[in-house]
Amino acid sequence: RDVCREKDRGGHLSTFIYKFHSPVTRYRYILRAEEYECETFAIKFYCQKHSNHDYKYSITTNKGDIGNILVTCLSAIQRILHICPNASFAFVGAPSYDKKSKKLENRNPTQRFNIYRYIASKLIGRVTFEHFEYELASSYSLINRNCANIEVKERMIVNMFRFTYPSLREVQA
């Protein structure tokens, strides 16, 4: 797995980029861990062959191996915690994109959110993180228990991401 950290020109501070290969799908994947204020990282991934597509985070390959791909994505959390021990994390279950109809999934929670929630609840314990789910926004956050006040940090993160992720505007902070 390749990793690099680059400065960002967007609304976040920097981005850790991880590249990995799935032997099952035979595709390369790109994981972006975008660093925001409050020591918070948004985890995103997509298949490299969709890099230039507007819906790269929504397209599925339908080749299987989603479990191993998500476990690989979760390993980035452990790597980032070595660099930033107080880091918290957030992710959004993007709506699936149907290439035939050229339409996005129109429901919350999304299929991806349900998968992410299941994987996170089974593979990420509650010793390091407090888990928060936002079904109406198909979003999930892991608030690091090292912070002084978990509830305050969770509200700060939701408010910060409301500007980046329109679906979070519906979440009550």
Side-chain angles (χ1 to χ4, degrees), residues 18-160:
Y18 300 86
K19 297 178 182 181
F20 61 96
H21 177 265
S22 165
V24 174
T25 67
R26 297 191 175 143
Y27 293 136
R28 285 188 59 79
Y29 292 86
I30 309 295
L31 178 137
R32 294 175 55 89
E34 297 175 348
E35 181 182 9
Y36 288 82
E37 295 176 6
C38 303
E39 297 180 282
T40 302
F41 293 82
I43 305 292
K44 305 175 177 186
F45 78 96
Y46 57 90
C47 181
Q48 186 173 17
K49 76 178 198 162
H50 300 133
S51 293
N52 295 321
H53 197 284
D54 289 342
Y55 298 114
K56 65 185 167 197
Y57 297 109
S58 295
I59 297 173
T60 58
T61 62
N62 294 321
K63 300 275 187 183
D65 206 30
I66 189 65
N68 287 325
I69 291 167
L70 291 176
V71 167
T72 301
C73 289
L74 291 179
S75 71
I77 291 173
Q78 186 176 12
R79 289 175 156 204
I80 291 168
L81 283 172
H82 285 294
I83 298 164
C84 185
N86 297 321
S88 293
F89 298 87
F91 45 94
V92 176
S96 295
Y97 179 74
D98 184 338
K99 290 186 232 177
K100 290 181 185 176
S101 69
K102 297 189 184 311
K103 291 187 179 180
L104 285 171
E105 176 182 15
N106 188 19
R107 68 180 179 119
N108 279 323
T110 63
Q111 292 174 334
R112 287 174 188 239
F113 169 77
N114 289 328
I115 293 167
Y116 297 170
R117 171 175 48 192
Y118 178 79
I119 297 281
S121 69
K122 297 296 182 198
L123 298 181
I124 299 176
R126 297 184 183 270
V127 172
T128 304
F129 298 108
E130 181 69 33
H131 296 235
F132 291 88
E133 300 177 18
Y134 317 99
E135 277 196 13
L136 292 176
S138 290
S139 303
Y140 201 95
S141 65
L142 301 166
I143 308 301
N144 197 311
R145 291 187 180 275
N146 286 341
C147 71
N149 188 318
I150 292 171
E151 289 76 23
V152 168
K153 175 113 179 203
E154 185 262 343
R155 285 192 300 274
M156 287 172 56
I157 290 170
V158 167
N159 284 329
M160 179 176 60

Side-chain angles (χ1 to χ4, degrees), residues 6-15 34-38:
E6 58 184 37
K7 288 288 184 186
D8 204 336
R9 289 173 265 155
H12 42 282
L13 306 173
S14 67
T15 304
E34 297 175 348
E35 181 182 9
Y36 288 82
E37 295 176 6
C38 303

